[in-house]
Each structure stands twice: as C-alpha cells, then as structure tokens.
Amino acid sequence: MHTITLIPGDGIGPSIADSTRKIIEATGVGVSWELEEAGIPAIEKFKDPLPQQVLDSIARNKIALKGPLTTPIGTGFRSVNVALRKEFDLYINLRPAKSFVGVKSTYADVDLIVFRENIEEFYSGIEHYIDAQKSAAETIGVVTRTGSERIVRAAFEYARKHNRKKVTIVHKANILKFTSGLFLDVGKKVAQDYPDIQCNDRIIDNMAMQLVLNPHQFDIIVTTNLFGDILSDLCSGLVGGLGLAPGANIGYEAAIFEAVHGSAPDIAGKNIANPCAMVLAGAMMLDYLGELVASSKIRQAIAETIQEGKYLTRDLNPEQPVGTIEMTDAIIKKIIAM
Ligand code: NAD
C-alpha cells in the first residue's frame, strides 16, 4: 500500500485529478490518498496558498500527485508550484513528449525527453522594482555549478539507464555569457563522463526552430529553467498538445508528479479537459514507485483509447468529442479488461 499526497488543484485540476485517481485505482495498485488543498482553494479555506499541512503531508509520504494550480499574473501570491519545487529541492523536471498513434499532429514517432533544471535561474524569485515609482524592475537569474551539474548528470544517467542515444544541451551562452555559459561549460564537462552517449549543444532560438522543423534529430534535451519550461510546451505541441504531456519533479528525498499544463481556466468546469496528461503523470509516479505492471496498463489503455478514436475529448477529436468523464470511463474499461 502506497500513501500518496493528492493535491487536486484548481481550474480543471479537480476533474482530471478525479480521473487520475479512479484510473490508478482501476489497476488494482494499493493506494491510500491524503487529500490536500493548495493554491486558490487553500486561500479560500485557510488564507494561505501553501498551508503547513500540505508540506507536512509531502514530507511524510515523500510522494505527491498534483493537479494544476493557478498563479496570478503580475500581482498576487507567488507560484505555489515553484515554492513546492524549492521546498523539497525537486531539481529535476522530467517532461517526456511521445507521439500516440491516432493523434493528428505534424509528426509521427516523436520521442523526446526534456530535463529542465527546476530550481534556479529566473525562477529563483529574486526580483524587485528598482524604485517606489516602479519605473524599472529586475530579476536575478542565479545559475550554480552544483545546480547545473546535477541536472545534466541526471539527464545522462537517464540516457544510460533507458538506452537513449543523445543528449542536447540547450543554452544562450553567446549572449548570457556567464549564466548560460556556466551551464554549457559544466554540461560539456559532465558529458565527458559518458562517452557512450552522444552530446551536442544548441542555442535556444535555433533549438526552437530545429525542433519544429525536424524533432527526430533530438532525443534527450537538458536545459535551464525558463528555456526548459518553454521548450517542453513546444515539445508537447509536437505530439498533440498539452492534454498529453506529463511531468515529474524529482529530488533526492521526494517527488511530485503533475501535468505540464496549467489550470486551463478557459475550459474549467465544462467536462471537456483531456485527463490524459495528469493520468500519464500518474503512470510516471507508478514507475517511480516500482509499480511497472500498473503503469504499463495505464499507458496501453490510453494508447488504445486514442487509437480507437471513439472516446476522445475535444482537443483530440473536435468533430465528435466526449467529456472528461466519458474518456476516463473508456480508459478504465480497458484496464479492467486487461
Ligand atoms: P494552460 O496550460 O492552463 O492552458 C493553455 C491552453 O491549453 C488553454 O487553451 C487550455 O484550455 C489548454 N489546455 C490545457 N490543459 C488542457 C487539457 N488537459 N485538455 C485540453 N486543453 C487543455 O496555460 P495558461 O492558460 O497559460 O495558464 C493557466 C494557469 O495555470 C496560470 O495561472 C498558470 O500560472 C498556471 N500553470 C500552472 C502550472 C502547474 O500547476 N504546474 C503549469 C502551467 C501553468
């Protein structure tokens, strides 16, 4: 029996978290969920976007499954997502983007993994207006050797373990000579410890274009926080959009699994969100827990449901869509029949 902290989140979060929970339970894996509120629902209940009891629950269980949390733009409270990653030193943000047969997209057979440094640089929260008139503002992006080394090493270790061939280091060292330069320098040094894995590097702007032109030339991508955030959304667009893009935040002591996408306020409460990104994050969580039979059942059931094309949400089948609940039920039926 695994005890897991479950944070449903807000927006489409509660609905896709419900789907994820039901689908995981359908695999027969033993889970005891500790339900916790964070973000806007926690402000409403506890007047705190990140109550201590949430931190205590994750610290105790060392594992959490999280729905998306809205972060107010420009003003308001700081990102709870970023705070959680920092609190538990979840320095790896692992975001795979893999094609599914049956999804209409520009490319078939895309299989990319983004390793995004998850704590430092422009997400370190060191920012302020320079004067009371707010005439200018600055954000300080801190990149450390230790932080760079551990994320690049994580990418190479993953490549070795999963028999992947190539790691591409993405940077902007031509302009950000110190921060991005340090990342590239450390990355190249780490690569020397892995002669069995090819390594190259790309400047971020060129990388964005190359990914759109020919994603098959890439395998594993490792980069700093902001570039990784942007590129992973781009990669999800290459395989059918955010509805199919899961992610994991992993540290030495704890891990939090979530979809790449956000709370999608434009479609919240309408039973139209695709649950698969969070469900696939749940499958990554089961991998992490060693529940490989359960995780492969989930992936197979999703792949078959997509390939059949009968029970798909609007993002995957705009002509004849079904709702979140109906797609969830179709996936569950397949799992039970396995
Ligand atoms: P978003 O990812 O929520 O939505 C972008 C677009 O993708 C929208 O059109 C949305 O309808 C669509 N979309 C997203 N998930 C979908 C799904 N499962 N099925 C179908 N369509 C889906 O990005 P946004 O609108 O820029 O951000 C909304 C809020 O989410 C913001 O407050 C942002 O800070 C937050 N956010 C949170 C996380 C997180 O919790 N880790 C990540 C990203 C954004």
Side-chain angles (χ1 to χ4, degrees):
M1 175 73 79
H2 305 282
T3 306
I4 296 168
T5 304
L6 177 64
I7 303 170
D10 57 66
I12 60 171
S15 141
I16 58 171
D18 197 46
S19 301
T20 307
R21 176 179 165 156
K22 286 185 181 144
I23 288 171
I24 290 176
E25 285 170 1
T27 67
V29 77
V31 175
S32 161
W33 303 102
E34 266 183 31
L35 209 61
E36 296 292 346
E37 302 281 15
I40 291 171
I43 294 185
E44 284 158 7
K45 257 196 200 165
F46 308 109
K47 305 211 174 335
D48 180 358
L50 187 52
Q52 187 59 40
Q53 68 194 60
V54 179
L55 299 175
D56 291 345
S57 172
I58 300 172
R60 211 169 35 244
N61 301 328
K62 309 204 179 323
I63 189 130
L65 181 62
K66 191 186 79 56
L69 296 170
T70 299
T71 307
I73 295 176
T75 55
F77 62 88
R78 297 197 76 87
S79 167
V80 172
N81 302 309
V82 171
L84 283 171
R85 291 167 193 163
K86 271 190 173 178
E87 174 73 26
F88 294 102
D89 195 24
L90 307 175
Y91 67 97
I92 301 170
N93 190 194
L94 171 53
R95 292 180 158 183
K98 198 168 173 8
S99 299
F100 283 91
V101 176
V103 174
K104 289 191 193 87
S105 60
T106 317
Y107 299 101
D109 296 324
V110 172
D111 185 3
L112 296 163
I113 310 234
V114 176
F115 272 78
R116 163 193 178 196
E117 199 290 320
N118 214 15
I119 310 275
E120 301 192 334
E121 198 217 23
F122 296 115
Y123 289 66
S124 53
I126 312 170
E127 58 173 358
H128 52 248
Y129 289 106
I130 64 156
D131 57 19
Q133 290 72 42
K134 300 187 176 175
S135 59
E138 66 179 345
T139 297
I140 299 173
V142 178
V143 175
T144 67
R145 281 193 187 276
T146 309
S148 303
E149 180 173 344
R150 64 183 183 168
I151 188 66
V152 178
R153 208 167 273 290
F156 276 98
E157 285 295 323
Y158 184 98
R160 203 172 251 179
K161 190 169 167 204
H162 294 88
N163 206 19
R164 313 278 301 211
K165 303 286 175 251
K166 185 159 88 177
V167 173
T168 301
I169 303 167
V170 177
H171 60 89
K172 186 76 186 175
N174 51 332
I175 303 295
L176 304 170
K177 290 187 189 295
F178 291 84
T179 46
S180 225
L182 184 152
F183 187 81
L184 177 61
D185 181 49
V186 170
K188 282 183 173 169
K189 286 201 180 95
V190 170
Q192 288 170 8
D193 294 341
Y194 299 85
D196 46 322
I197 295 156
Q198 286 176 53
C199 177
N200 61 1
D201 72 275
R202 288 282 180 279
I203 294 173
I204 178 67
D205 33 355
N206 178 32
M207 182 68 184
M209 183 203 56
Q210 293 287 341
L211 270 169
V212 172
L213 280 183
N214 177 16
H216 299 113
Q217 62 183 302
F218 300 109
D219 184 353
I220 288 180
I221 296 160
V222 63
T223 188
T224 43
N225 206 336
L226 180 59
F227 297 159
D229 198 4
I230 297 166
L231 280 189
S232 52
D233 267 37
L234 191 159
C235 290
S236 79
L238 295 171
V239 299
L242 284 169
L244 294 171
N249 303 281
I250 302 171
Y252 302 111
E253 297 286 332
I256 301 180
F257 296 82
E258 63 182 341
V260 168
H261 64 70
S263 54
D266 52 334
I267 58 167
K270 297 180 180 162
N271 188 36
I272 55 179
N274 183 344
C276 289
M278 187 164 175
V279 177
L280 289 166
M284 290 174 83
M285 179 183 77
L286 293 173
D287 285 343
Y288 181 88
L289 292 170
E291 297 284 1
L292 302 184
V293 174
S295 62
S296 76
K297 276 186 189 174
I298 291 177
R299 288 194 186 95
Q300 196 186 325
I302 289 180
E304 286 175 10
T305 305
I306 291 175
Q307 198 166 358
E308 274 174 22
K310 275 199 252 165
Y311 298 98
L312 301 181
T313 44
R314 193 183 66 171
D315 54 317
L316 298 180
N317 185 355
E319 282 90 38
Q320 281 182 303
V322 300
T324 311
I325 296 171
E326 291 70 28
M327 186 171 182
T328 304
D329 289 346
I331 296 168
I332 290 174
K333 255 194 196 155
K334 289 202 177 294
I335 291 174
I336 291 171
M338 279 174 191

